[in-house]
Amino acid sequence: QVQLVESGGGLVQAGGSLRLSCKASGSMYSVNTMGWHRQAPGKQRELVAEIDRSGDTNYANAVKGRFTISRDNSKDTVYLQMNSLEPGDTGAYYCNAVAVVAGTPDYWGRGTQVTVSA
């Protein structure tokens, strides 16, 4: 089992920045890729960014050039630096961890709210 706890959300004006953190604990040997997803009211959850143990990253087109995902394996923590925030970035942000063993459900945190005002 892996437990994920997000922090760093809040209210910010458009153009501002926030840094989200996701602290993982438990059987970290069983996960590889970790990432951030977000869900706006009335919309489906979508991938924002993900990073594997070697540091390879993948970003949604909407956040490329504005968001940066990073990972400190020694601290079992993943970060999401969000710059030039837009009202469209508003939503609940969830950290997830993908299990190495195929067929094992992903692990999810409880989320942190990000609200960007115009």
Short mmCIF file of all heavy atoms in Angstrom, two decimals, residues 28-98:
data_model
loop_
_atom_site.label_atom_id
_atom_site.label_comp_id
_atom_site.label_asym_id
_atom_site.label_seq_id
_atom_site.Cartn_x
_atom_site.Cartn_y
_atom_site.Cartn_z
N MET A 28 6.95 2.11 -1.40
CA MET A 28 7.34 2.91 -2.56
C MET A 28 8.09 2.10 -3.60
O MET A 28 8.18 2.50 -4.76
CB MET A 28 8.18 4.10 -2.11
CG MET A 28 7.37 5.14 -1.37
SD MET A 28 5.99 5.73 -2.37
CE MET A 28 6.85 6.49 -3.74
N TYR A 29 8.62 0.93 -3.22
CA TYR A 29 9.29 0.09 -4.20
C TYR A 29 8.30 -0.43 -5.25
O TYR A 29 8.69 -0.88 -6.32
CB TYR A 29 9.95 -1.11 -3.51
CG TYR A 29 8.98 -2.00 -2.80
CD1 TYR A 29 8.31 -3.03 -3.47
CD2 TYR A 29 8.70 -1.83 -1.44
CE1 TYR A 29 7.40 -3.82 -2.82
CE2 TYR A 29 7.79 -2.63 -0.79
CZ TYR A 29 7.14 -3.62 -1.48
OH TYR A 29 6.23 -4.42 -0.83
N SER A 30 7.01 -0.36 -4.93
CA SER A 30 5.99 -0.91 -5.81
C SER A 30 5.44 0.10 -6.82
O SER A 30 4.53 -0.24 -7.59
CB SER A 30 4.82 -1.46 -4.99
OG SER A 30 4.15 -0.42 -4.30
N VAL A 31 5.97 1.32 -6.81
CA VAL A 31 5.48 2.31 -7.76
C VAL A 31 6.61 2.86 -8.59
O VAL A 31 7.77 2.86 -8.18
CB VAL A 31 4.75 3.48 -7.05
CG1 VAL A 31 3.60 2.96 -6.22
CG2 VAL A 31 5.70 4.30 -6.21
N ASN A 32 6.27 3.34 -9.78
CA ASN A 32 7.26 3.96 -10.66
C ASN A 32 6.82 5.38 -10.97
O ASN A 32 7.25 6.33 -10.32
CB ASN A 32 7.43 3.14 -11.94
CG ASN A 32 8.48 3.73 -12.86
OD1 ASN A 32 9.16 4.68 -12.51
ND2 ASN A 32 8.60 3.17 -14.05
N THR A 33 5.92 5.53 -11.91
CA THR A 33 5.47 6.86 -12.31
C THR A 33 4.57 7.48 -11.26
O THR A 33 3.69 6.82 -10.71
CB THR A 33 4.72 6.79 -13.65
OG1 THR A 33 5.61 6.29 -14.65
CG2 THR A 33 4.20 8.15 -14.06
N MET A 34 4.81 8.76 -11.00
CA MET A 34 3.92 9.54 -10.14
C MET A 34 3.49 10.77 -10.91
O MET A 34 4.22 11.25 -11.79
CB MET A 34 4.62 9.93 -8.85
CG MET A 34 4.97 8.73 -7.98
SD MET A 34 5.66 9.19 -6.39
CE MET A 34 4.23 9.94 -5.60
N GLY A 35 2.32 11.26 -10.59
CA GLY A 35 1.84 12.39 -11.38
C GLY A 35 0.79 13.22 -10.67
O GLY A 35 0.41 12.93 -9.52
N TRP A 36 0.38 14.26 -11.35
CA TRP A 36 -0.68 15.15 -10.88
C TRP A 36 -1.81 15.15 -11.91
O TRP A 36 -1.57 15.25 -13.12
CB TRP A 36 -0.14 16.57 -10.72
CG TRP A 36 0.81 16.73 -9.58
CD1 TRP A 36 2.17 16.65 -9.60
CD2 TRP A 36 0.45 16.99 -8.21
NE1 TRP A 36 2.69 16.85 -8.35
CE2 TRP A 36 1.65 17.06 -7.48
CE3 TRP A 36 -0.76 17.18 -7.55
CZ2 TRP A 36 1.68 17.31 -6.11
CZ3 TRP A 36 -0.74 17.44 -6.19
CH2 TRP A 36 0.46 17.50 -5.48
N HIS A 37 -3.00 15.04 -11.40
CA HIS A 37 -4.21 15.16 -12.20
C HIS A 37 -5.05 16.27 -11.60
O HIS A 37 -4.88 16.63 -10.43
CB HIS A 37 -5.02 13.86 -12.18
CG HIS A 37 -4.35 12.72 -12.90
ND1 HIS A 37 -3.19 12.15 -12.49
CD2 HIS A 37 -4.73 12.04 -14.01
CE1 HIS A 37 -2.84 11.17 -13.32
NE2 HIS A 37 -3.76 11.09 -14.24
N ARG A 38 -5.98 16.81 -12.36
CA ARG A 38 -6.87 17.83 -11.83
C ARG A 38 -8.27 17.59 -12.33
O ARG A 38 -8.50 16.99 -13.38
CB ARG A 38 -6.40 19.23 -12.20
CG ARG A 38 -6.50 19.58 -13.67
CD ARG A 38 -5.88 20.94 -13.95
NE ARG A 38 -5.97 21.30 -15.36
CZ ARG A 38 -5.33 22.34 -15.90
NH1 ARG A 38 -4.57 23.12 -15.14
NH2 ARG A 38 -5.47 22.60 -17.19
N GLN A 39 -9.22 18.11 -11.55
CA GLN A 39 -10.62 17.99 -11.91
C GLN A 39 -11.33 19.29 -11.60
O GLN A 39 -11.39 19.71 -10.44
CB GLN A 39 -11.28 16.83 -11.16
CG GLN A 39 -12.70 16.54 -11.61
CD GLN A 39 -13.21 15.21 -11.08
OE1 GLN A 39 -12.67 14.65 -10.14
NE2 GLN A 39 -14.25 14.69 -11.70
N ALA A 40 -11.85 19.91 -12.65
CA ALA A 40 -12.63 21.13 -12.49
C ALA A 40 -14.09 20.74 -12.29
O ALA A 40 -14.52 19.66 -12.71
CB ALA A 40 -12.48 22.01 -13.73
N PRO A 41 -14.87 21.61 -11.66
CA PRO A 41 -16.29 21.29 -11.44
C PRO A 41 -17.01 20.95 -12.74
O PRO A 41 -16.89 21.67 -13.74
CB PRO A 41 -16.84 22.59 -10.85
CG PRO A 41 -15.66 23.22 -10.20
CD PRO A 41 -14.49 22.89 -11.08
N GLY A 42 -17.70 19.84 -12.76
CA GLY A 42 -18.45 19.43 -13.93
C GLY A 42 -17.63 18.81 -15.05
O GLY A 42 -18.16 18.51 -16.11
N LYS A 43 -16.35 18.61 -14.80
CA LYS A 43 -15.48 18.05 -15.83
C LYS A 43 -14.82 16.77 -15.33
O LYS A 43 -14.76 16.51 -14.14
CB LYS A 43 -14.42 19.07 -16.25
CG LYS A 43 -14.98 20.30 -16.93
CD LYS A 43 -13.86 21.18 -17.47
CE LYS A 43 -14.42 22.37 -18.22
NZ LYS A 43 -13.33 23.24 -18.77
N GLN A 44 -14.31 16.01 -16.28
CA GLN A 44 -13.61 14.78 -15.93
C GLN A 44 -12.21 15.09 -15.42
O GLN A 44 -11.62 16.12 -15.76
CB GLN A 44 -13.53 13.86 -17.15
CG GLN A 44 -14.85 13.25 -17.57
CD GLN A 44 -14.67 12.20 -18.65
OE1 GLN A 44 -13.74 12.25 -19.44
NE2 GLN A 44 -15.58 11.22 -18.67
N ARG A 45 -11.69 14.18 -14.61
CA ARG A 45 -10.33 14.32 -14.13
C ARG A 45 -9.38 14.16 -15.32
O ARG A 45 -9.58 13.29 -16.18
CB ARG A 45 -10.03 13.27 -13.06
CG ARG A 45 -8.76 13.50 -12.31
CD ARG A 45 -8.62 12.52 -11.15
NE ARG A 45 -9.68 12.68 -10.16
CZ ARG A 45 -9.69 12.04 -8.99
NH1 ARG A 45 -8.70 11.20 -8.68
NH2 ARG A 45 -10.67 12.23 -8.14
N GLU A 46 -8.35 15.00 -15.37
CA GLU A 46 -7.41 14.96 -16.48
C GLU A 46 -5.97 14.99 -15.98
O GLU A 46 -5.68 15.57 -14.94
CB GLU A 46 -7.63 16.16 -17.42
CG GLU A 46 -7.42 17.50 -16.78
CD GLU A 46 -7.64 18.66 -17.74
OE1 GLU A 46 -7.99 18.44 -18.90
OE2 GLU A 46 -7.43 19.81 -17.30
N LEU A 47 -5.10 14.38 -16.77
CA LEU A 47 -3.68 14.39 -16.44
C LEU A 47 -3.11 15.79 -16.62
O LEU A 47 -3.36 16.45 -17.63
CB LEU A 47 -2.93 13.41 -17.33
CG LEU A 47 -1.40 13.44 -17.22
CD1 LEU A 47 -0.95 12.89 -15.88
CD2 LEU A 47 -0.77 12.66 -18.37
N VAL A 48 -2.31 16.22 -15.65
CA VAL A 48 -1.60 17.49 -15.75
C VAL A 48 -0.13 17.23 -16.11
O VAL A 48 0.40 17.78 -17.06
CB VAL A 48 -1.68 18.28 -14.43
CG1 VAL A 48 -0.83 19.54 -14.51
CG2 VAL A 48 -3.13 18.61 -14.10
N ALA A 49 0.51 16.38 -15.32
CA ALA A 49 1.92 16.08 -15.55
C ALA A 49 2.27 14.79 -14.82
O ALA A 49 1.64 14.45 -13.82
CB ALA A 49 2.82 17.22 -15.07
N GLU A 50 3.28 14.10 -15.31
CA GLU A 50 3.73 12.88 -14.66
C GLU A 50 5.24 12.75 -14.83
O GLU A 50 5.83 13.33 -15.74
CB GLU A 50 3.02 11.65 -15.23
CG GLU A 50 3.17 11.46 -16.71
CD GLU A 50 2.29 10.35 -17.26
OE1 GLU A 50 1.60 9.66 -16.47
OE2 GLU A 50 2.29 10.16 -18.48
N ILE A 51 5.84 11.97 -13.93
CA ILE A 51 7.29 11.80 -13.94
C ILE A 51 7.62 10.40 -13.45
O ILE A 51 7.00 9.91 -12.49
CB ILE A 51 7.96 12.89 -13.05
CG1 ILE A 51 9.49 12.79 -13.10
CG2 ILE A 51 7.48 12.83 -11.60
CD1 ILE A 51 10.18 14.00 -12.46
N ASP A 52 8.59 9.76 -14.11
CA ASP A 52 8.96 8.43 -13.65
C ASP A 52 10.23 8.51 -12.78
O ASP A 52 10.77 9.60 -12.55
CB ASP A 52 9.13 7.46 -14.82
CG ASP A 52 10.29 7.80 -15.74
OD1 ASP A 52 11.16 8.61 -15.35
OD2 ASP A 52 10.35 7.25 -16.85
N ARG A 53 10.68 7.36 -12.31
CA ARG A 53 11.80 7.35 -11.36
C ARG A 53 13.08 7.89 -11.97
O ARG A 53 13.94 8.43 -11.26
CB ARG A 53 12.03 5.93 -10.84
CG ARG A 53 11.09 5.53 -9.71
CD ARG A 53 11.55 4.28 -9.02
NE ARG A 53 10.74 4.00 -7.85
CZ ARG A 53 10.98 4.51 -6.65
NH1 ARG A 53 12.00 5.32 -6.46
NH2 ARG A 53 10.20 4.20 -5.62
N SER A 54 13.22 7.76 -13.28
CA SER A 54 14.44 8.24 -13.93
C SER A 54 14.38 9.73 -14.24
O SER A 54 15.37 10.32 -14.68
CB SER A 54 14.69 7.46 -15.23
OG SER A 54 13.66 7.72 -16.17
N GLY A 55 13.19 10.34 -14.04
CA GLY A 55 13.05 11.76 -14.27
C GLY A 55 12.42 12.14 -15.59
O GLY A 55 12.28 13.33 -15.89
N ASP A 56 12.04 11.16 -16.37
CA ASP A 56 11.34 11.47 -17.62
C ASP A 56 9.95 12.02 -17.31
O ASP A 56 9.25 11.48 -16.45
CB ASP A 56 11.23 10.22 -18.49
CG ASP A 56 12.57 9.80 -19.07
OD1 ASP A 56 13.48 10.65 -19.15
OD2 ASP A 56 12.72 8.62 -19.43
N THR A 57 9.58 13.07 -18.03
CA THR A 57 8.32 13.76 -17.73
C THR A 57 7.38 13.79 -18.93
O THR A 57 7.80 13.62 -20.08
CB THR A 57 8.59 15.20 -17.30
OG1 THR A 57 9.30 15.88 -18.34
CG2 THR A 57 9.43 15.25 -16.03
N ASN A 58 6.12 14.03 -18.62
CA ASN A 58 5.09 14.17 -19.64
C ASN A 58 4.11 15.22 -19.14
O ASN A 58 3.74 15.20 -17.96
CB ASN A 58 4.38 12.83 -19.87
CG ASN A 58 3.27 12.94 -20.89
OD1 ASN A 58 3.43 13.52 -21.95
ND2 ASN A 58 2.11 12.37 -20.57
N TYR A 59 3.73 16.15 -20.01
CA TYR A 59 2.84 17.24 -19.62
C TYR A 59 1.62 17.31 -20.54
O TYR A 59 1.72 17.04 -21.74
CB TYR A 59 3.56 18.59 -19.70
CG TYR A 59 4.67 18.77 -18.70
CD1 TYR A 59 5.98 18.43 -19.04
CD2 TYR A 59 4.42 19.30 -17.44
CE1 TYR A 59 7.01 18.60 -18.13
CE2 TYR A 59 5.44 19.48 -16.53
CZ TYR A 59 6.74 19.13 -16.89
OH TYR A 59 7.76 19.30 -15.98
N ALA A 60 0.52 17.76 -19.99
CA ALA A 60 -0.63 18.11 -20.81
C ALA A 60 -0.29 19.34 -21.62
O ALA A 60 0.43 20.24 -21.14
CB ALA A 60 -1.84 18.37 -19.93
N ASN A 61 -0.80 19.42 -22.82
CA ASN A 61 -0.49 20.56 -23.69
C ASN A 61 -0.87 21.89 -23.03
O ASN A 61 -0.18 22.90 -23.20
CB ASN A 61 -1.23 20.43 -25.02
CG ASN A 61 -0.62 19.36 -25.91
OD1 ASN A 61 0.55 19.02 -25.79
ND2 ASN A 61 -1.43 18.80 -26.80
N ALA A 62 -1.94 21.90 -22.26
CA ALA A 62 -2.44 23.14 -21.66
C ALA A 62 -1.48 23.74 -20.64
O ALA A 62 -1.58 24.93 -20.33
CB ALA A 62 -3.79 22.88 -21.01
N VAL A 63 -0.56 22.94 -20.11
CA VAL A 63 0.32 23.45 -19.05
C VAL A 63 1.78 23.50 -19.46
O VAL A 63 2.62 23.98 -18.70
CB VAL A 63 0.17 22.61 -17.76
CG1 VAL A 63 -1.30 22.53 -17.34
CG2 VAL A 63 0.77 21.23 -17.91
N LYS A 64 2.09 23.03 -20.64
CA LYS A 64 3.49 23.03 -21.10
C LYS A 64 4.05 24.45 -21.10
O LYS A 64 3.39 25.38 -21.56
CB LYS A 64 3.59 22.43 -22.50
CG LYS A 64 3.51 20.92 -22.54
CD LYS A 64 3.64 20.40 -23.97
CE LYS A 64 3.56 18.87 -24.00
NZ LYS A 64 3.63 18.33 -25.37
N GLY A 65 5.23 24.59 -20.55
CA GLY A 65 5.87 25.89 -20.49
C GLY A 65 5.49 26.70 -19.27
O GLY A 65 6.12 27.73 -18.98
N ARG A 66 4.46 26.27 -18.54
CA ARG A 66 4.02 26.99 -17.34
C ARG A 66 4.22 26.17 -16.07
O ARG A 66 4.51 26.72 -15.01
CB ARG A 66 2.55 27.38 -17.46
CG ARG A 66 2.24 28.27 -18.64
CD ARG A 66 0.80 28.79 -18.58
NE ARG A 66 -0.19 27.71 -18.66
CZ ARG A 66 -1.11 27.47 -17.74
NH1 ARG A 66 -1.18 28.22 -16.65
NH2 ARG A 66 -1.98 26.47 -17.90
N PHE A 67 4.03 24.87 -16.16
CA PHE A 67 4.13 23.98 -15.01
C PHE A 67 5.39 23.12 -15.13
O PHE A 67 5.79 22.74 -16.23
CB PHE A 67 2.93 23.03 -14.93
CG PHE A 67 1.63 23.70 -14.58
CD1 PHE A 67 1.47 25.07 -14.56
CD2 PHE A 67 0.52 22.92 -14.29
CE1 PHE A 67 0.26 25.67 -14.26
CE2 PHE A 67 -0.71 23.48 -13.96
CZ PHE A 67 -0.83 24.87 -13.97
N THR A 68 5.97 22.81 -13.98
CA THR A 68 7.12 21.92 -13.94
C THR A 68 6.93 20.88 -12.85
O THR A 68 6.69 21.24 -11.69
CB THR A 68 8.42 22.70 -13.67
OG1 THR A 68 8.60 23.70 -14.67
CG2 THR A 68 9.62 21.77 -13.68
N ILE A 69 7.03 19.62 -13.22
CA ILE A 69 6.95 18.53 -12.25
C ILE A 69 8.36 18.07 -11.91
O ILE A 69 9.23 18.02 -12.78
CB ILE A 69 6.08 17.36 -12.77
CG1 ILE A 69 5.81 16.36 -11.66
CG2 ILE A 69 6.72 16.69 -13.99
CD1 ILE A 69 4.77 15.30 -12.04
N SER A 70 8.58 17.78 -10.64
CA SER A 70 9.88 17.28 -10.21
C SER A 70 9.67 16.25 -9.12
O SER A 70 8.58 16.14 -8.54
CB SER A 70 10.78 18.42 -9.73
OG SER A 70 10.20 19.09 -8.64
N ARG A 71 10.74 15.54 -8.81
CA ARG A 71 10.61 14.42 -7.89
C ARG A 71 11.89 14.28 -7.09
O ARG A 71 12.98 14.33 -7.64
CB ARG A 71 10.34 13.15 -8.70
CG ARG A 71 10.19 11.87 -7.94
CD ARG A 71 9.70 10.80 -8.90
NE ARG A 71 9.51 9.52 -8.23
CZ ARG A 71 8.90 8.48 -8.79
NH1 ARG A 71 8.41 8.59 -10.01
NH2 ARG A 71 8.76 7.36 -8.13
N ASP A 72 11.75 14.10 -5.79
CA ASP A 72 12.88 13.84 -4.91
C ASP A 72 12.69 12.43 -4.37
O ASP A 72 11.92 12.23 -3.42
CB ASP A 72 12.93 14.88 -3.79
CG ASP A 72 14.18 14.74 -2.93
OD1 ASP A 72 14.78 13.64 -2.90
OD2 ASP A 72 14.54 15.73 -2.27
N ASN A 73 13.35 11.46 -4.97
CA ASN A 73 13.17 10.07 -4.57
C ASN A 73 13.66 9.82 -3.15
O ASN A 73 13.13 8.93 -2.46
CB ASN A 73 13.87 9.13 -5.55
CG ASN A 73 13.20 9.10 -6.91
OD1 ASN A 73 11.98 9.21 -7.01
ND2 ASN A 73 14.00 8.96 -7.96
N SER A 74 14.62 10.60 -2.69
CA SER A 74 15.13 10.41 -1.33
C SER A 74 14.09 10.81 -0.28
O SER A 74 14.13 10.34 0.85
CB SER A 74 16.42 11.20 -1.12
OG SER A 74 16.16 12.59 -1.14
N LYS A 75 13.18 11.69 -0.68
CA LYS A 75 12.12 12.15 0.22
C LYS A 75 10.76 11.58 -0.14
O LYS A 75 9.76 11.92 0.50
CB LYS A 75 12.05 13.68 0.21
CG LYS A 75 13.31 14.36 0.73
CD LYS A 75 13.14 15.88 0.71
CE LYS A 75 14.39 16.57 1.25
NZ LYS A 75 14.26 18.05 1.23
N ASP A 76 10.71 10.76 -1.20
CA ASP A 76 9.44 10.20 -1.68
C ASP A 76 8.42 11.32 -1.87
O ASP A 76 7.25 11.20 -1.45
CB ASP A 76 8.90 9.15 -0.70
CG ASP A 76 9.77 7.89 -0.67
OD1 ASP A 76 10.38 7.58 -1.71
OD2 ASP A 76 9.82 7.24 0.38
N THR A 77 8.84 12.37 -2.50
CA THR A 77 7.98 13.55 -2.68
C THR A 77 8.02 14.00 -4.14
O THR A 77 9.09 14.02 -4.76
CB THR A 77 8.41 14.69 -1.76
OG1 THR A 77 8.35 14.26 -0.40
CG2 THR A 77 7.50 15.90 -1.93
N VAL A 78 6.86 14.35 -4.64
CA VAL A 78 6.72 14.90 -5.98
C VAL A 78 6.18 16.33 -5.86
O VAL A 78 5.31 16.59 -5.02
CB VAL A 78 5.77 14.05 -6.84
CG1 VAL A 78 5.55 14.70 -8.20
CG2 VAL A 78 6.34 12.66 -7.03
N TYR A 79 6.71 17.20 -6.69
CA TYR A 79 6.31 18.61 -6.65
C TYR A 79 5.71 19.02 -8.00
O TYR A 79 6.05 18.47 -9.04
CB TYR A 79 7.54 19.49 -6.37
CG TYR A 79 8.28 19.11 -5.12
CD1 TYR A 79 9.40 18.29 -5.17
CD2 TYR A 79 7.87 19.59 -3.87
CE1 TYR A 79 10.08 17.93 -4.03
CE2 TYR A 79 8.55 19.23 -2.71
CZ TYR A 79 9.65 18.41 -2.81
OH TYR A 79 10.33 18.05 -1.66
N LEU A 80 4.86 20.02 -7.94
CA LEU A 80 4.33 20.63 -9.16
C LEU A 80 4.44 22.14 -8.99
O LEU A 80 3.70 22.74 -8.22
CB LEU A 80 2.89 20.22 -9.42
CG LEU A 80 2.32 20.73 -10.74
CD1 LEU A 80 3.01 20.03 -11.92
CD2 LEU A 80 0.81 20.49 -10.82
N GLN A 81 5.40 22.73 -9.69
CA GLN A 81 5.54 24.19 -9.69
C GLN A 81 4.65 24.75 -10.79
O GLN A 81 4.81 24.40 -11.96
CB GLN A 81 7.00 24.58 -9.95
CG GLN A 81 7.23 26.08 -10.01
CD GLN A 81 6.99 26.77 -8.68
OE1 GLN A 81 7.40 26.28 -7.64
NE2 GLN A 81 6.31 27.91 -8.72
N MET A 82 3.72 25.60 -10.39
CA MET A 82 2.76 26.15 -11.34
C MET A 82 2.95 27.65 -11.43
O MET A 82 2.77 28.37 -10.45
CB MET A 82 1.33 25.83 -10.87
CG MET A 82 1.08 24.35 -10.65
SD MET A 82 -0.64 23.98 -10.27
CE MET A 82 -0.81 24.77 -8.68
N ASN A 83 3.34 28.11 -12.61
CA ASN A 83 3.56 29.53 -12.86
C ASN A 83 2.56 30.04 -13.89
O ASN A 83 1.93 29.25 -14.60
CB ASN A 83 4.98 29.77 -13.37
CG ASN A 83 6.03 29.37 -12.37
OD1 ASN A 83 5.85 29.46 -11.15
ND2 ASN A 83 7.17 28.92 -12.86
N SER A 84 2.42 31.35 -13.96
CA SER A 84 1.50 31.99 -14.92
C SER A 84 0.13 31.33 -14.87
O SER A 84 -0.46 30.98 -15.90
CB SER A 84 2.08 31.88 -16.34
OG SER A 84 3.35 32.51 -16.42
N LEU A 85 -0.39 31.19 -13.68
CA LEU A 85 -1.66 30.50 -13.50
C LEU A 85 -2.80 31.27 -14.16
O LEU A 85 -2.80 32.52 -14.20
CB LEU A 85 -1.95 30.30 -12.02
CG LEU A 85 -1.17 29.14 -11.39
CD1 LEU A 85 -1.12 29.28 -9.87
CD2 LEU A 85 -1.77 27.82 -11.79
N GLU A 86 -3.75 30.51 -14.68
CA GLU A 86 -4.91 31.05 -15.38
C GLU A 86 -6.18 30.57 -14.68
O GLU A 86 -6.17 29.51 -14.04
CB GLU A 86 -4.90 30.58 -16.83
CG GLU A 86 -3.64 30.91 -17.59
CD GLU A 86 -3.53 30.17 -18.92
OE1 GLU A 86 -4.38 29.29 -19.18
OE2 GLU A 86 -2.59 30.48 -19.69
N PRO A 87 -7.28 31.29 -14.83
CA PRO A 87 -8.54 30.81 -14.21
C PRO A 87 -8.90 29.39 -14.64
O PRO A 87 -9.49 28.65 -13.86
CB PRO A 87 -9.57 31.84 -14.71
CG PRO A 87 -8.77 33.10 -14.86
CD PRO A 87 -7.43 32.66 -15.38
N GLY A 88 -8.53 29.02 -15.84
CA GLY A 88 -8.80 27.67 -16.33
C GLY A 88 -8.02 26.59 -15.61
O GLY A 88 -8.30 25.40 -15.78
N ASP A 89 -7.06 26.97 -14.78
CA ASP A 89 -6.30 26.00 -13.99
C ASP A 89 -7.01 25.65 -12.69
O ASP A 89 -6.55 24.77 -11.94
CB ASP A 89 -4.90 26.54 -13.67
CG ASP A 89 -4.05 26.75 -14.91
OD1 ASP A 89 -4.06 25.87 -15.79
OD2 ASP A 89 -3.37 27.80 -14.99
N THR A 90 -8.10 26.32 -12.41
CA THR A 90 -8.84 26.07 -11.18
C THR A 90 -9.37 24.65 -11.13
O THR A 90 -9.88 24.13 -12.13
CB THR A 90 -10.01 27.05 -11.06
OG1 THR A 90 -9.49 28.38 -10.90
CG2 THR A 90 -10.91 26.72 -9.88
N GLY A 91 -9.24 24.02 -9.98
CA GLY A 91 -9.75 22.68 -9.79
C GLY A 91 -9.11 22.00 -8.60
O GLY A 91 -8.25 22.58 -7.93
N ALA A 92 -9.56 20.78 -8.36
CA ALA A 92 -8.94 19.96 -7.33
C ALA A 92 -7.78 19.20 -7.96
O ALA A 92 -7.96 18.57 -9.02
CB ALA A 92 -9.95 18.99 -6.75
N TYR A 93 -6.63 19.27 -7.35
CA TYR A 93 -5.43 18.63 -7.88
C TYR A 93 -5.13 17.38 -7.05
O TYR A 93 -5.02 17.46 -5.82
CB TYR A 93 -4.26 19.60 -7.86
CG TYR A 93 -4.30 20.59 -8.99
CD1 TYR A 93 -5.29 21.57 -9.04
CD2 TYR A 93 -3.39 20.55 -10.04
CE1 TYR A 93 -5.35 22.47 -10.10
CE2 TYR A 93 -3.43 21.44 -11.09
CZ TYR A 93 -4.42 22.40 -11.11
OH TYR A 93 -4.48 23.29 -12.17
N TYR A 94 -4.97 16.28 -7.75
CA TYR A 94 -4.75 14.99 -7.11
C TYR A 94 -3.40 14.42 -7.51
O TYR A 94 -3.03 14.43 -8.69
CB TYR A 94 -5.84 13.99 -7.51
CG TYR A 94 -7.23 14.39 -7.11
CD1 TYR A 94 -8.03 15.15 -7.97
CD2 TYR A 94 -7.76 14.01 -5.88
CE1 TYR A 94 -9.31 15.51 -7.60
CE2 TYR A 94 -9.05 14.36 -5.51
CZ TYR A 94 -9.81 15.12 -6.38
OH TYR A 94 -11.09 15.49 -6.01
N CYS A 95 -2.71 13.89 -6.54
CA CYS A 95 -1.46 13.18 -6.78
C CYS A 95 -1.79 11.70 -6.98
O CYS A 95 -2.69 11.16 -6.32
CB CYS A 95 -0.55 13.35 -5.57
SG CYS A 95 1.02 12.49 -5.64
N ASN A 96 -1.07 11.06 -7.90
CA ASN A 96 -1.27 9.62 -8.05
C ASN A 96 0.06 8.91 -8.23
O ASN A 96 1.05 9.52 -8.62
CB ASN A 96 -2.27 9.28 -9.16
CG ASN A 96 -1.62 9.14 -10.52
OD1 ASN A 96 -0.78 9.94 -10.91
ND2 ASN A 96 -2.02 8.11 -11.25
N ALA A 97 0.06 7.64 -7.94
CA ALA A 97 1.24 6.80 -8.11
C ALA A 97 0.82 5.54 -8.84
O ALA A 97 -0.18 4.90 -8.47
CB ALA A 97 1.84 6.46 -6.76
N VAL A 98 1.56 5.21 -9.88
CA VAL A 98 1.23 4.06 -10.71
C VAL A 98 2.04 2.85 -10.24
O VAL A 98 3.27 2.92 -10.15
CB VAL A 98 1.53 4.36 -12.19
CG1 VAL A 98 1.20 3.15 -13.06
CG2 VAL A 98 0.74 5.58 -12.64
#
